[in-house]
């Protein structure tokens, strides 16, 4: 759930130790609340609609509609598709988009749709046509989607230095 420039604007334990830190959430339960739910056992899907809130570990997804797709063999959650007014929150990071796909097993969230997806952390932000965030690895990729007229935009604020704030 949620998201892109997180790795760029936040300090990473993995970067400090040069070893990837894996926070695998795939074994954690997913709690979903909505106004309605429709299940299709043969189709291996469950559709939640109306003020949807889905939570797995420290990731929360808000959307108008959520489609849960189950794997053929073992019926575990394969992917979760959020549609309409998508907002994904993880700790102090928030991603917004019109669509998102969360692949829990891979720890990957892909934000798409119009207007361009955006991820914010504090006063920093990044936007682009496609934002892919690897939540378990604290890595991200932002793209203009192959369109030469669509560009990635990042706003990175510098911390206020004490000598600049005090006037001395």
């Amino acid at each position: 759930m949620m998201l892109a420039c997180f790795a760029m604007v936040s300090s990473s334990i993995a970067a400090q130790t040069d070893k990837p830190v894996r926070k695998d959430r795939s074994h954690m339960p997913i709690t979903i609340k909505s106004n309605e739910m429709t299940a299709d056992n043969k189709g291996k899907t469950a559709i939640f609609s109306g003020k949807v809130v889905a939570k797995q570990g420290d990731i929360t997804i808000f959307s108008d509609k959520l489609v849960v797709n189950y794997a053929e063999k073992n019926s575990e959650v394969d992917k979760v598709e959020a549609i309409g007014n998508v907002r994904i929150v993880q700790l102090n990071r928030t991603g917004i988009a019109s669509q998102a796909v969360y692949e829990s097993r891979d720890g990957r969230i892909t934000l798409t749709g119009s207007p361009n997806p955006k991820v914010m952390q504090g006063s920093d932000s990044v936007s682009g046509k496609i934002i892919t965030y690897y939540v378990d690895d604290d890595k991200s990729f932002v793209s203009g989607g192959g369109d030469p007229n669509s560009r990635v935009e990042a706003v990175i604020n510098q911390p206020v230095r004490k000598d600049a704030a005090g006037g001395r």
Side-chain angles (χ1 to χ4, degrees), residues 19-20 28 32 38 66 77 79 92 103 107 110 119 121 151:
K19 290 182 182 178
M28 300 174 101
I32 303 170
T38 304
L66 194 80
V77 173
K79 70 180 176 179
N92 64 342
E103 296 165 280
T110 304
V119 174
Q121 180 172 352
R151 306 194 18 114

Side-chain angles (χ1 to χ4, degrees), residues 58-136:
D58 62 352
I59 297 172
T60 304
I61 300 174
F62 301 87
S63 65
D64 295 334
K65 180 178 176 182
L66 194 80
V67 180
V68 178
N69 297 280
Y70 296 95
E72 286 293 324
K73 292 182 180 180
N74 54 15
S75 294
E76 70 182 30
V77 173
D78 185 36
K79 70 180 176 179
V80 175
E81 299 173 81
I83 302 156
N85 297 306
V86 177
R87 183 169 49 100
I88 301 175
V89 178
Q90 182 192 27
L91 305 173
N92 64 342
R93 297 163 241 185
T94 301
I96 55 173
S98 59
Q99 298 178 356
V101 175
Y102 177 41
E103 296 165 280
S104 175
R105 212 171 345 129
D106 297 332
R108 179 176 55 221
I109 298 171
T110 304
L111 301 170
T112 59
S114 181
N116 284 349
K118 185 175 188 176
V119 174
M120 293 117 353
Q121 180 172 352
S123 58
D124 298 340
S125 67
V126 67
S127 63
K129 275 272 202 226
I130 303 168
I131 299 176
T132 303
Y133 178 61
Y134 298 88
V135 295
D136 298 332

